[in-house]
């Protein structure tokens, strides 16, 4: 609170999380499939797959296509330039 008062006349604009999500265009998706994940994108997108401990497992670039990536059972983090998602492979 004191920090805000110190700013005084500084102009600040806030955007709610809902507004940011609504403004995102989902061009890339990830779907868990048996034995791995399926990544899909309508435009060129780099997918990075990390283990839950943060070790990079794989990196692929997809352009207007779908690609299946085989992974052992476990929990992974899939990251693109626009988002990150947790995925569980069974």
């Amino acid at each position: 609170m004191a920090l805000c008062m110190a700013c005084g006349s500084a102009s600040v604009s806030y955007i709610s999380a809902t507004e940011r999500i609504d403004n995102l265009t989902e061009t890339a998706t990830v779907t868990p499939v048996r034995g791995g994940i399926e990544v899909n994108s309508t435009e060129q997108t780099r997918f990075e797959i990390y283990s839950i401990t943060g070790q990079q497992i794989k990196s692929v670039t997809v352009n207007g296509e779908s690609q299946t990536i085989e992974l052992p059972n476990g929990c992974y983090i899939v990251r693109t330039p626009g988002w990150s998602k947790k995925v569980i492979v069974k």
Side-chain angles (χ1 to χ4, degrees):
M1 184 85 154
L3 181 60
C4 290
M5 289 179 175
C7 295
S9 63
S11 176
V12 178
S13 173
Y14 294 99
I15 299 173
S16 73
T18 306
E19 289 173 312
R20 283 189 294 168
I21 291 171
D22 290 342
N23 291 334
L24 288 177
T25 305
E26 281 290 328
T27 60
T29 61
V30 60
T31 307
V33 295
R34 185 171 298 277
I37 59 172
E38 182 177 281
V39 293
N40 189 7
S41 180
T42 57
E43 55 189 46
Q44 186 170 352
T45 304
R46 182 173 197 77
F47 289 85
E48 297 172 345
I49 297 96
Y50 295 88
S51 69
I52 200 68
T53 60
Q55 179 183 9
Q56 187 173 11
I57 305 296
K58 188 166 261 207
S59 178
V60 296
T61 300
V62 175
N63 189 10
E65 59 192 38
S66 177
Q67 184 173 347
T68 301
I69 301 168
E70 293 183 14
L71 295 168
N73 291 350
C75 188
Y76 298 91
I77 297 169
V78 180
R79 186 174 150 217
T80 69
W83 51 259
S84 296
K85 295 183 181 179
K86 182 173 74 172
V87 179
I88 299 173
V89 175
K90 295 182 179 182

